[in-house]
Amino acid sequence: AALAAGLAATALAITPGTAHATEGNIQGADAPVTARGTAQTYGAAQATDGSVERLIVGYKSRATEAESNDAAARDAEVKGRKTGESLDFERRLGTGAALVDLGGELGKKDAADVMAAFRADPDVAYAVPDRRVYATATEPNDTDYDRQWDLFEAAAGMNVPGAWDKATGEGVKVAVIDTGYVAHSDLAGNVIAGYDFISDTRMSRDGDGPDNNPADAGDWMNTGDCGVDRFGRPVPDRNTNNSWHGTHVAGTIAATTGNGKGIAGIAHHATVQPVRVLGWCGGTDADIINAITWASGGTVQGVPANPNPADVINMSLGGGGACNPGTQSAINGAVSRGTTVVVAAGNDNLNAADFQPANCNNVITVAASDRQGNRAAYSNYGAVVDVTAPGGETAPSTANGIWSTLNTGTRSLGGETYAAYQGTSMAAPHIAGLAALMNQASPSMTPAQIESAIRTNARTLPGTCSGGCGAGLADAARTLGASGTEPQPPTGKVLTNAANVSIPDTNTPVTSSLAVTGISGNAPTALKIAVDIKHTYRGDLRIELVAPNGGSTQLKAASSSDSAADVITTYTTDASGVAANGTWKLRVTDVYSGDTGYIDSWSLTF
């Protein structure tokens, strides 16, 4: 982002820091966010030909429909009459959004008309398709610790054994939001009760809807089972077998270690909670929203409370398009409850900014490296990537893939085994496991501090990365501290202004100032701006950093679709072209009417 003060053209280029800029990129555009699966294109509930079956409608907090199911049902009927469609309120999601059934699949134009009717309502914060996502992995097969180069090899391993004398994940709970769990003796001792959130019985393959049995019923598909893509090609384009994807992911995180067989889990004394959202033809945003909410200890209507809220969530899934506001709201809720959320960047060799939940805010987005330390050929990349972890490449040899727990069954349940997979799905659980180690070693660390520590202690990729691989290759031993001390957030001179500043609901900018003295030279290339703003509808807010020379850069754009409360996050900007000393300002503007708030505090770390 260029400075806009009309002074020196000094660049204050912002890159996502401990949380992504809340618009997915610094310009504030709602970049499409999607998630992919093993060479599958992102569909939706929204079928793959562009048709839509359900909408997720978020109401503003002041709206009656935000609290009353009856009011939401009446509103769906009104919108249906207006558009000539049969609309029904189906259920309330964990974030409070309404899931609206469209009475069958609607074509792209008809669905757009319905969404337009909702979006024209001033009480509606957002209306988006309930899309479908897929697991983000690719395949092959086999076993054992000496094959786990990703943990220990000097070139491109994650230096995990060097962290085990400081933490093993004891007492930490990791939710794996995925295909569920298939029994495996090398993992069973660390698995705790989870939940199945798949609401479509076709997709669930277990004959029922949501229940307390997260067993993986298999996700095999025949060619064209999931419709066609926008080019008319069948999805999938070939017959596929069961992936047992969630079990492979879980093994990387917490397989039993020291038991004389199989593999070692990164956080092998942590517990894994399987939360099932992916089945036949993937999964839906609505089910994932509820899964995130429940797994992190939030309330989901009609679902018993989670007795073991997760400290870490792993989501090795994704699809194409902008970050669903409902998904973002669920993530924000999870982070506010202290849960670190780790997501895969996607497997399309494209900019991760165009895939969700990789481009959602307040997540750790993970790209994949190969055994030589290059960005894996399939891995997504870009500014929204926070860090890279081993994801492997199974060609030309499965020895270069990521080995983990699996099952032999191709279209039914088989016996337990191990296999080599590749994908950002395999990279993400490396970071989830590392987050679990950090959570044990320093329980007081916030999700933002855990992300910041992982980024700060990453090492330069030994190979090449075009397009952006975040802070580099994650290093477990360095992150937990080579001296054996507890992991700590990055150090530096921290300056804070904790004086409250009211933000008027009048499109009038207000500022809070920090006077910086005693620092020679220019500001750092990674100037951190921690922001704590209390506001009942944060989408109203535009947030800017103003440098001492008068130049400014936007940290967050206003967005009518971001209905969550508060902005509590950390941004990072390259401010190396600006002198450190002088008065820095946080400038906040409430560009819409109806909600109010104030700057609680903010700080700069030099």
Side-chain angles (χ1 to χ4, degrees):
L3 293 181
L7 298 178
T10 313
L12 271 175
I14 294 183
T15 56
T18 56
H20 301 132
T22 39
E23 294 304 313
N25 64 38
I26 297 311
Q27 303 307 319
D30 282 329
V33 185
T34 66
R36 289 250 162 132
T38 47
Q40 307 282 359
T41 55
Y42 175 84
Q46 204 175 327
T48 48
D49 61 357
S51 59
V52 182
E53 297 174 8
R54 291 175 294 275
L55 295 182
I56 298 170
V57 179
Y59 290 95
K60 295 182 179 179
S61 57
R62 61 177 176 266
T64 305
E65 293 86 352
E67 302 292 338
S68 168
N69 289 353
D70 289 340
R74 287 193 298 272
D75 190 46
E77 292 176 9
V78 170
K79 300 297 193 297
R81 288 196 298 271
K82 182 176 180 179
T83 57
E85 305 292 346
S86 177
L87 309 185
D88 289 305
F89 170 79
E90 185 172 308
R91 55 191 162 96
R92 185 79 59 179
L93 301 184
T95 56
L99 187 65
V100 176
D101 189 276
L102 302 185
E105 292 185 0
L106 297 186
K108 189 173 182 180
K109 181 181 183 304
D110 291 337
D113 289 343
V114 174
M115 284 188 286
F118 276 105
R119 291 168 180 169
D121 186 336
D123 286 334
V124 171
Y126 60 86
V128 292
D130 178 20
R131 300 172 300 186
R132 186 169 294 166
V133 298
Y134 298 90
T136 50
T138 54
E139 290 163 48
N141 252 4
D142 252 61
T143 286
D144 269 345
Y145 180 69
D146 60 350
R147 294 172 173 171
Q148 291 184 273
W149 61 268
D150 48 305
L151 302 191
F152 57 77
E153 279 192 354
M158 212 173 75
N159 204 5
V160 173
W164 283 337
D165 62 338
K166 302 170 186 69
T168 57
E170 186 75 41
V172 180
K173 299 173 286 293
V174 183
V176 175
I177 297 179
D178 213 291
T179 63
Y181 168 66
V182 60
H184 198 293
S185 63
D186 202 15
L187 184 57
N190 289 336
V191 175
I192 60 176
Y195 209 83
D196 178 1
F197 278 95
I198 300 180
S199 55
D200 186 325
T201 54
R202 296 172 303 169
M203 299 171 71
S204 69
R205 268 217 175 101
D206 59 7
D208 56 32
D211 58 28
N212 62 1
N213 180 10
D216 190 337
D219 56 359
W220 62 267
M221 293 175 284
N222 290 322
T223 304
D225 268 0
C226 308
V228 296
D229 64 17
R230 61 194 179 94
F231 301 108
R233 298 173 300 203
V235 178
D237 60 1
R238 58 187 170 83
N239 293 346
T240 66
N241 293 326
N242 293 325
S243 68
W244 311 115
H245 186 270
T247 301
H248 195 282
V249 167
T252 296
I253 295 169
T256 306
T257 300
N259 61 345
K261 69 173 185 179
I263 62 166
I266 291 171
H268 45 265
H269 287 152
T271 54
V272 167
Q273 183 172 68
V275 184
R276 187 171 182 240
V277 297
L278 300 177
W280 176 80
C281 288
T284 68
D285 284 342
D287 294 344
I288 292 167
I289 287 168
N290 280 349
I292 295 168
T293 303
W294 180 85
S296 60
T299 300
V300 176
Q301 196 173 77
V303 178
N306 183 358
N308 298 294
D311 303 295
V312 181
I313 285 174
N314 186 93
M315 290 197 291
S316 290
L317 49 79
C323 181
N324 185 313
T327 303
Q328 184 64 72
S329 181
I331 290 169
N332 293 343
V335 171
S336 73
R337 290 185 282 273
T339 303
T340 300
V341 181
V342 180
V343 303
N347 298 335
D348 297 275
N349 188 28
L350 294 171
N351 194 327
D354 295 330
F355 296 84
Q356 67 91 14
N359 60 1
C360 291
N361 308 317
N362 290 329
V363 300
I364 304 177
T365 300
V366 187
S369 64
D370 63 16
R371 192 169 183 173
Q372 291 71 46
N374 306 295
R375 176 172 66 83
Y378 54 79
S379 178
N380 287 352
Y381 51 81
V384 301
V385 171
D386 292 298
V387 72
T388 301
E393 284 188 356
T394 54
S397 170
T398 58
N400 296 329
I402 305 299
W403 298 88
S404 191
T405 45
L406 215 70
N407 189 278
T408 61
T410 56
R411 298 208 161 193
S412 61
L413 185 64
E416 67 177 47
T417 188
Y418 301 83
Y421 276 9
Q422 67 176 26
T424 57
S425 275
M426 286 58 258
H430 284 75
I431 301 303
L434 175 53
L437 298 181
M438 297 173 68
N439 197 285
Q440 179 200 349
S442 187
S444 64
M445 290 185 79
T446 66
Q449 289 172 332
I450 287 174
E451 178 182 346
S452 184
I454 291 173
R455 288 172 53 88
T456 299
N457 291 288
R459 65 185 194 268
T460 302
L461 282 167
T464 60
C465 172
S466 58
C469 288
L473 185 66
D475 189 301
R478 284 175 57 170
T479 302
L480 266 76
S483 64
T485 58
E486 288 187 347
Q488 298 295 327
T491 58
K493 184 173 182 179
V494 181
L495 301 171
T496 301
N497 185 337
N500 292 352
V501 178
S502 295
I503 305 169
D505 198 27
T506 57
N507 198 22
T508 303
V510 295
T511 60
S512 177
S513 300
L514 275 174
V516 178
T517 60
I519 299 178
S520 60
N522 286 358
T525 56
L527 177 65
K528 297 188 181 299
I529 309 100
V531 175
D532 184 343
I533 298 175
K534 303 299 194 295
H535 198 276
T536 52
Y537 195 95
R538 71 180 184 196
D540 288 359
L541 302 180
R542 180 172 66 245
I543 305 173
E544 301 164 282
L545 178 68
V546 182
N549 69 349
S552 66
T553 192
Q554 184 171 275
L555 304 179
K556 175 192 176 298
S559 170
S560 61
S561 64
D562 187 0
S563 61
D566 305 335
V567 181
I568 304 173
T569 190
T570 301
Y571 303 99
T572 303
T573 181
D574 181 356
S576 58
V578 179
N581 288 337
T583 299
W584 295 76
K585 297 177 182 178
L586 188 73
R587 184 164 62 201
V588 182
T589 309
D590 186 334
V591 301
Y592 301 115
S593 62
D595 293 84
T596 59
Y598 62 95
I599 301 171
D600 192 325
S601 66
W602 72 289
S603 64
L604 295 174
T605 302
F606 289 90

